Amino acid sequence: MSFQDIEAGLTHPVRSASSVPQSKEDSAFESLQSSLSLQVFKMNANVQGILKLVDQLGTAKDSASLRKTLHDLTETTRAMAKRGSEDLKHLSSIQATLPHKKTALQKTSHDLQMSLVAFQRAQQVSAERQRTVVQGVKLAVEDEPEAHSGHEQASTPQEQRQAQILQAQLSPHELAYQESVIQEREAEIREIETGIHELSEIFRDLGTLVNQQGDMIDNIELNISSVAADTGAASEELHTAAAYQRKAGQRAACLMIILAIVVGVVLLAVLS
């Protein structure tokens, strides 16, 4: 390369380590891992959104629009949890042939499980909040003191506080509306409980997957160690065989020399 080429910027690009071509399996693993990491990020953001919406249940901000937003966000996050679980299974199957990606798989699995735990907790908080609001509404709309007192004996302190908040913040018309959507809230509670059960099943599947993957990696590492041990033993045997051949050659040469000496002595004796 001439000095003029350098000045003109006609230098040859220097290959970096990152430009080394990856295998098809490595590329597939990293692509899916990146997708999973993005899903985890979105799930964590959704969980924060769910908790903010749950805090507004049973307040003056509670509305059909808010409950629909909460329902849709919960369903979206639940679908992401199912997809994330399936993607992790696929990622694990790819990693089975890539022992050097074991740590990356473990980190991704840990991040997903922590996100699922946060979502599970958010669903539990949402269901509990819905129950508290339902019971609080039932207490708040009671007109007869005797009936109200009877409810207080069977209600929790949280439900009693919720009733007081509703009575203080909502008009009679708004209380009537809250009473009209009790069945809707109870249906939502049942749906949340179903989602919690489904997420528990996902946790069990992931637990089995992690255990199986750990055994698989251990087996791969054991096989690699066995191959290395066998290779070492074979090399040692080759060295032993070579040494034996050298010794056998030396013994044959000694025998030839001795035989030549004997023949020479016999010939001298005959000639003399």
Side-chain angles (χ1 to χ4, degrees):
M1 181 183 300
S2 66
F3 181 74
Q4 289 79 8
D5 291 337
I6 295 176
E7 284 188 330
L10 300 178
T11 57
H12 295 291
V14 179
R15 289 181 176 270
S16 61
S18 59
S19 65
V20 177
Q22 290 184 319
S23 68
K24 181 179 179 181
E25 291 76 11
D26 277 312
S27 297
F29 180 90
E30 293 184 4
S31 176
L32 187 55
Q33 183 190 25
S34 177
S35 175
L36 255 176
S37 298
L38 182 59
Q39 290 182 65
V40 169
F41 176 80
K42 290 181 178 179
M43 285 179 62
N44 290 337
N46 286 1
V47 167
Q48 295 302 315
I50 289 171
L51 293 175
K52 289 180 181 179
L53 292 172
V54 167
D55 285 341
Q56 300 178 48
L57 293 175
T59 70
K61 296 181 179 180
D62 195 347
S63 64
S65 175
L66 182 140
R67 291 192 300 277
K68 183 178 186 307
T69 301
L70 175 59
H71 173 82
D72 292 346
L73 189 57
T74 301
E75 287 299 308
T76 298
T77 309
R78 188 174 296 142
M80 292 175 66
K82 294 178 181 178
R83 177 185 172 187
S85 173
E86 293 301 318
D87 285 351
L88 184 62
K89 292 178 183 178
H90 187 198
L91 189 70
S92 177
S93 66
I94 297 174
Q95 190 274 328
T97 59
L98 302 172
H100 60 286
K101 294 293 186 181
K102 179 179 180 180
T103 302
L105 174 65
Q106 289 176 336
K107 181 182 183 305
T108 303
S109 176
H110 176 269
D111 291 345
L112 176 61
Q113 290 183 68
M114 291 300 98
S115 183
L116 293 177
V117 168
F119 178 48
Q120 181 84 309
R121 178 55 183 160
Q123 288 189 106
Q124 292 170 346
V125 171
S126 180
E128 186 59 33
R129 179 66 173 170
Q130 295 273 22
R131 293 191 194 96
T132 300
V133 171
V134 167
Q135 294 303 319
V137 169
K138 290 179 179 179
L139 290 174
V141 298
E142 290 290 344
D143 294 328
E144 298 180 5
E146 296 80 4
H148 187 87
S149 175
H151 276 293
E152 285 185 348
Q153 293 178 359
S155 61
T156 65
Q158 292 84 359
E159 293 167 355
Q160 294 174 23
R161 284 197 299 271
Q162 181 63 46
Q164 294 172 357
I165 291 172
L166 291 170
Q167 288 175 329
Q169 294 183 350
L170 304 182
S171 66
H173 175 73
E174 289 171 331
L175 274 177
Y177 169 75
Q178 291 295 335
E179 184 181 18
S180 69
V181 297
I182 284 179
Q183 291 184 349
E184 177 186 329
R185 292 185 187 277
E186 290 176 339
E188 182 68 20
I189 292 171
R190 289 191 294 270
E191 190 170 348
I192 292 173
E193 290 174 342
T194 300
I196 291 174
H197 176 72
E198 290 177 353
L199 201 56
S200 298
E201 293 293 333
I202 291 176
F203 276 121
R204 278 192 284 271
D205 289 344
L206 291 181
T208 302
L209 174 66
V210 170
N211 290 335
Q212 290 176 346
Q213 183 63 24
D215 294 340
M216 186 179 299
I217 293 299
D218 291 340
N219 289 336
I220 291 174
E221 292 176 344
L222 178 61
N223 290 336
I224 292 174
S225 299
S226 299
V227 169
D230 292 342
T231 302
S235 178
E236 185 177 353
E237 290 178 359
L238 288 174
H239 285 301
T240 302
Y244 177 80
Q245 289 176 350
R246 286 195 300 271
K247 290 179 181 179
Q250 291 173 356
R251 285 195 295 268
C254 289
L255 289 175
M256 290 296 293
I257 293 172
I258 294 172
L259 181 60
I261 293 174
V262 171
V263 171
V265 170
V266 171
L267 289 174
L268 288 175
V270 171
L271 294 173
S272 62

